[in-house]
Amino acid sequence: MTAKRIWNFNAGPAALPLPVLEEIQANLIDFQGSGMSITEISHRSKWFDDVINDAVARVRRLLRVGDDYQVLFLQGGASLQFCMVPMNFLPAGASADYVNTGTWSTKAIKEAQIQGKPIQVVASSEDRNFAYIPKDIAFNADAAYCHITSNNTIKGTQWAAFPDTGGVPLVADMSSDIFCRPLEMTPFGMIYAGAQKNMGPAGVCLAVVRNDLMERAPADLPTMLRYATFAAKNSMFNTPPCFAIYAVQLVLKWVEETVGGLEAMARRNQAKAEMLYSFVDASEFYTGTADTDSRSIMNVTFRLPSEAAEQDFVAQALENDLGGLKGHRSVGGCRASIYNATPIDAIETLVDFMKNFEAKMG
Amino acid sequence: MTAKRIWNFNAGPAALPLPVLEEIQANLIDFQGSGMSITEISHRSKWFDDVINDAVARVRRLLRVGDDYQVLFLQGGASLQFCMVPMNFLPAGASADYVNTGTWSTKAIKEAQIQGKPIQVVASSEDRNFAYIPKDIAFNADAAYCHITSNNTIKGTQWAAFPDTGGVPLVADMSSDIFCRPLEMTPFGMIYAGAQKNMGPAGVCLAVVRNDLMERAPADLPTMLRYATFAAKNSMFNTPPCFAIYAVQLVLKWVEETVGGLEAMARRNQAKAEMLYSFVDASEFYTGTADTDSRSIMNVTFRLPSEAAEQDFVAQALENDLGGLKGHRSVGGCRASIYNATPIDAIETLVDFMKNFEAKMG
């Protein structure tokens, strides 16, 4: 099989490890000798039990998740969690803190407010178009939780270290940087992540939720909006998104067994990001948009001298098999998303292209 | 490629047309010359636009859906719709009718009741273990909608014709029989269906919703629980389950172009069901569990003289490459799910096996 492949810098859905795609392809008609596709086997079968249990075990090992947390596979993406988090964790009389670091934080805040939930935005970087991660935040000691977005896909910023909330559990949307580096779970009440950036195809959302938080849900919350429902049934109260969970299982296997775990993954990601940022910093043609100390190692955002140059850049890049370099439609500019599955070769190729483009245009 | 394949009678996730699986497999690494997998392309790309727009167009053609309805691809399965339907369609002061024909209807009723919504169960077949579809139902003329389950996967019953509600819009869970036969949309305010039985892999739920019903949603309903959100954004307010939608597109293409549309599909399904039911009726060893006039052409439920015989039957069937014949764990017995993708050859093979098993055991 010699399929055409490009260097894929998409922000999400994004590149997956080629060996994962090849394994899915090879087994698509007959999964594990079952005589059925992974899309055709029952979620109540031994075959699928093995898939989901292995995926859960890998999440637990990679993130060193203790028994006081449940690992859940949900649907509706991170966007559904924006409303489910306050539904589950904010009973009457309680309030929560939110930190606003960009588009996705803003949406999370909005979904709590729509429900009339009492929340407080304790910090925001909106004053400078979300180009930085706020510091020295005054958290409320009695907040039920504090919600943050660990990596801001659109603005190209990332928490380098997580804030000390003084014991208030952090709830973090990690859609665009989960598994990019080791994580210490203790400060977190919940982390969640849509799969389609660093973990698998679109259509499944991973959540790791601390047991005690799930008990706060009110009695009139529908079954499918209740985290405890998924926890009680190993994410199979109803039919789960089997194919997407299977793909996540294979990606996590790749992280563990091919890359060598999250320490190795972090070194790899750091090297990729440094290669790209150091080139941008040295250039007078390209300008990074995020503050240096708030830069994301997953989404590298930069501008060119003009919008016309940016359009040319994206178009010519694609002609050279470098795809997905257009910035989010809400902010413009350029963006290279360099998630776990993006190899260092892709960055090298991109930097070469950027040099040549600058030489031609600069 | 000579992958092993069995005759797959799973209730869901269920058999998919082999040509669909083969097309997915062939294109998994490089979708349409993009150099990316369907799991790696942006949902904002021309490539994915073509996929979802074609899927929507095929739904519209197959079900003859007019402009007064929107075709939506949702997540969370039919189970999430159980709570979203009353959230969206039952504003304060309104009530709804529900008909209880089995496990899934019962769940839909429960999710309305959990929210404290005023609903009335206007008919139920629980008195005889849901072995029939109720007749002569007294609907409430002022109900906001009337909810039914068109086919009861677990109990093996199906509405042969839909009830006349006197103008109250029907809302139907069609998870296990959508696209099994032509449908007249006019009486319906909404139909919905998890894909994993008759339409594709698990992880996407199709809904067809009448425009005026979507306007009833209250202002404090979160964005992702609001049908109008999906309608306004062609199901792409957030990242949709791209792979599952792609598979649905291919299945619908198969229904239209290979089978020849829903009239042809219905003839095929009718012939399959008749072959199996007429064998069961002629046998004294096998006994159908559903009333004759309420039988499903999708899920054929039957009992053997003893539970021990049923266990042997299921085990020996699997040894003969006939899979998924165990009844749902809540009711026991045997069940052959013979959805659209199940070919007539599968039924012939099953009937032969049943004959031989009876001869050996009877």
Side-chain angles (χ1 to χ4, degrees):
Chain A
M1 198 113 207
T2 51
K4 176 189 165 192
R5 296 285 290 170
I6 66 165
W7 300 114
N8 180 350
F9 298 96
N10 275 339
L16 291 174
L18 185 56
V20 166
L21 292 172
E22 287 170 341
E23 182 167 348
I24 294 172
Q25 185 178 47
N27 297 293
L28 197 80
I29 309 282
D30 175 17
F31 180 72
Q32 303 278 12
S34 65
M36 298 176 277
S37 172
I38 180 70
T39 62
E40 301 177 302
I41 61 172
S42 171
H43 57 297
R44 308 285 177 201
S45 67
K46 171 81 168 59
W47 291 295
F48 190 71
D49 264 345
D50 287 348
V51 168
I52 196 166
N53 289 340
D54 186 60
V56 168
R58 290 185 188 280
V59 172
R60 287 194 174 275
R61 278 197 301 270
L62 284 164
L63 300 179
R64 290 172 298 166
V65 177
D67 288 345
D68 44 341
Y69 294 84
Q70 299 301 318
V71 174
L72 312 179
F73 290 105
L74 309 168
Q75 292 190 61
S79 292
L80 186 61
Q81 312 320 310
F82 296 163
C83 72
M84 282 177 64
V85 162
M87 282 176 173
N88 279 268
F89 302 154
L90 270 187
S95 77
D97 288 352
Y98 277 72
V99 179
N100 190 358
T101 54
T103 309
W104 300 105
S105 307
T106 305
K107 285 178 187 257
I109 291 163
K110 183 183 164 204
E111 295 307 315
Q113 288 171 335
I114 280 178
Q115 301 173 56
K117 295 282 186 179
I119 63 154
Q120 191 187 341
V121 179
V122 290
S124 169
S125 50
E126 195 171 5
D127 59 331
R128 285 202 290 114
N129 197 25
F130 299 110
Y132 67 101
I133 299 292
K135 290 189 191 69
D136 305 322
I137 303 168
F139 295 102
N140 289 298
D142 61 348
Y145 62 84
C146 173
H147 186 278
I148 62 170
T149 312
S150 60
N151 183 78
N152 301 281
T153 326
I154 295 175
K155 312 296 181 181
T157 64
Q158 184 178 26
W159 293 80
F162 294 108
D164 180 0
T165 59
V168 170
L170 282 168
V171 172
D173 175 1
M174 295 195 169
S175 293
S176 51
D177 70 351
I178 192 160
F179 301 121
C180 83
R181 58 189 177 188
L183 184 72
E184 167 57 48
M185 276 298 296
T186 319
F188 293 93
M190 171 176 176
I191 63 172
Y192 62 94
Q196 69 273 10
K197 297 170 192 292
N198 235 358
M199 199 174 21
V204 66
C205 179
L206 172 68
V208 183
V209 191
R210 218 172 67 193
N211 294 333
D212 60 309
L213 265 75
M214 285 189 280
E215 290 161 17
R216 298 184 189 169
D220 63 351
L221 191 60
T223 308
M224 284 291 290
L225 298 177
R226 182 183 287 274
Y227 291 121
T229 300
F230 294 86
K233 299 283 188 182
N234 197 22
S235 302
M236 294 187 285
F237 170 77
N238 71 334
T239 315
C242 301
F243 175 83
I245 293 171
Y246 163 59
V248 168
Q249 179 214 8
L250 296 182
V251 170
L252 297 184
K253 185 178 169 202
W254 173 85
V255 171
E256 279 198 296
E257 299 177 11
T258 303
V259 176
L262 293 188
E263 285 79 6
M265 193 84 253
R267 282 194 298 275
R268 209 168 130 145
N269 285 328
Q270 203 64 51
K272 283 153 53 185
E274 274 174 19
M275 184 181 293
L276 193 44
Y277 280 121
S278 64
F279 170 75
V280 167
D281 286 344
S283 158
E284 303 208 341
F285 187 75
Y286 303 98
T287 315
T289 62
D291 284 11
T292 306
D293 66 353
S294 301
R295 281 170 165 173
S296 167
I297 62 169
M298 296 278 100
N299 309 98
V300 178
T301 51
F302 54 93
R303 304 297 309 238
L304 274 65
S306 70
E307 286 187 23
E310 288 167 350
Q311 282 173 20
D312 283 350
F313 176 84
V314 171
Q316 290 186 31
L318 192 56
E319 285 168 20
N320 286 272
D321 286 342
L322 297 154
L325 290 165
K326 197 172 164 189
H328 190 268
R329 63 200 183 288
S330 65
V331 293
C334 298
R335 172 178 54 179
S337 295
I338 53 172
Y339 299 121
N340 283 357
T342 307
I344 191 105
D345 301 8
I347 317 295
E348 286 167 0
T349 310
L350 173 59
V351 168
D352 281 347
F353 172 78
M354 290 172 79
K355 275 183 200 158
N356 292 338
F357 187 84
E358 178 177 355
K360 244 187 339 188
M361 305 285 289
Chain B
M1 197 113 210
T2 50
K4 175 189 166 191
R5 296 285 290 170
I6 66 165
W7 301 114
N8 180 350
F9 298 96
N10 276 339
L16 291 174
L18 185 57
V20 166
L21 292 172
E22 287 170 340
E23 182 166 347
I24 294 172
Q25 184 177 48
N27 297 293
L28 196 80
I29 309 282
D30 175 18
F31 180 72
Q32 304 278 12
S34 65
M36 298 176 278
S37 172
I38 180 72
T39 62
E40 300 178 303
I41 61 171
S42 171
H43 57 297
R44 309 284 177 201
S45 66
K46 169 83 167 57
W47 292 296
F48 190 71
D49 264 345
D50 288 349
V51 168
I52 195 166
N53 289 339
D54 187 60
V56 168
R58 290 186 189 278
V59 172
R60 286 194 175 275
R61 279 197 300 272
L62 283 164
L63 300 180
R64 290 172 298 166
V65 177
D67 289 344
D68 44 342
Y69 294 85
Q70 299 300 317
V71 174
L72 312 179
F73 290 105
L74 310 168
Q75 291 188 60
S79 292
L80 186 61
Q81 312 320 311
F82 296 163
C83 72
M84 282 178 63
V85 162
M87 281 176 174
N88 279 270
F89 302 154
L90 269 187
S95 75
D97 288 352
Y98 278 71
V99 179
N100 190 358
T101 54
T103 310
W104 299 104
S105 306
T106 304
K107 284 177 187 261
I109 290 163
K110 182 183 164 203
E111 295 306 316
Q113 287 171 336
I114 281 178
Q115 300 173 58
K117 296 284 189 180
I119 64 155
Q120 191 187 342
V121 179
V122 290
S124 169
S125 49
E126 195 171 6
D127 59 329
R128 284 203 291 112
N129 197 23
F130 299 111
Y132 67 100
I133 299 292
K135 290 190 189 69
D136 306 322
I137 303 168
F139 295 101
N140 288 300
D142 61 349
Y145 61 84
C146 174
H147 185 280
I148 61 170
T149 311
S150 60
N151 183 78
N152 301 282
T153 325
I154 295 175
K155 311 296 181 181
T157 64
Q158 184 177 26
W159 293 80
F162 293 107
D164 181 358
T165 59
V168 170
L170 281 169
V171 172
D173 175 1
M174 295 194 171
S175 294
S176 51
D177 71 349
I178 193 160
F179 301 121
C180 83
R181 59 190 177 190
L183 184 72
E184 167 57 48
M185 276 298 295
T186 318
F188 292 93
M190 173 177 176
I191 63 172
Y192 62 95
Q196 69 272 12
K197 296 169 192 294
N198 234 358
M199 198 174 20
V204 66
C205 179
L206 171 69
V208 183
V209 191
R210 218 172 66 192
N211 294 333
D212 60 310
L213 265 75
M214 286 189 278
E215 291 162 16
R216 297 184 190 170
D220 62 353
L221 191 61
T223 308
M224 284 291 291
L225 299 177
R226 182 183 287 276
Y227 291 121
T229 299
F230 294 85
K233 299 283 189 181
N234 196 25
S235 302
M236 294 186 285
F237 170 75
N238 71 335
T239 315
C242 301
F243 175 83
I245 293 171
Y246 163 60
V248 168
Q249 179 213 8
L250 296 182
V251 170
L252 298 183
K253 186 179 167 200
W254 173 83
V255 171
E256 278 197 296
E257 298 177 11
T258 303
V259 177
L262 292 187
E263 285 78 7
M265 193 83 253
R267 284 194 298 274
R268 213 168 127 145
N269 285 328
Q270 203 65 50
K272 282 153 51 186
E274 275 174 19
M275 183 181 292
L276 192 44
Y277 281 121
S278 63
F279 170 74
V280 167
D281 286 343
S283 157
E284 304 208 341
F285 186 74
Y286 303 99
T287 315
T289 63
D291 284 10
T292 307
D293 66 353
S294 300
R295 282 171 165 175
S296 167
I297 61 169
M298 297 278 100
N299 308 97
V300 178
T301 50
F302 54 93
R303 304 297 311 236
L304 274 64
S306 71
E307 286 187 24
E310 287 167 351
Q311 281 172 20
D312 283 350
F313 176 84
V314 171
Q316 289 186 32
L318 192 56
E319 284 168 21
N320 285 273
D321 286 342
L322 297 154
L325 290 165
K326 195 171 164 188
H328 190 268
R329 62 199 184 288
S330 65
V331 293
C334 298
R335 171 177 58 178
S337 295
I338 52 173
Y339 299 121
N340 283 356
T342 307
I344 191 104
D345 301 8
I347 318 295
E348 285 167 1
T349 309
L350 173 60
V351 168
D352 281 347
F353 171 79
M354 289 172 79
K355 274 184 202 159
N356 291 337
F357 187 84
E358 179 176 356
K360 245 191 334 191
M361 306 285 289

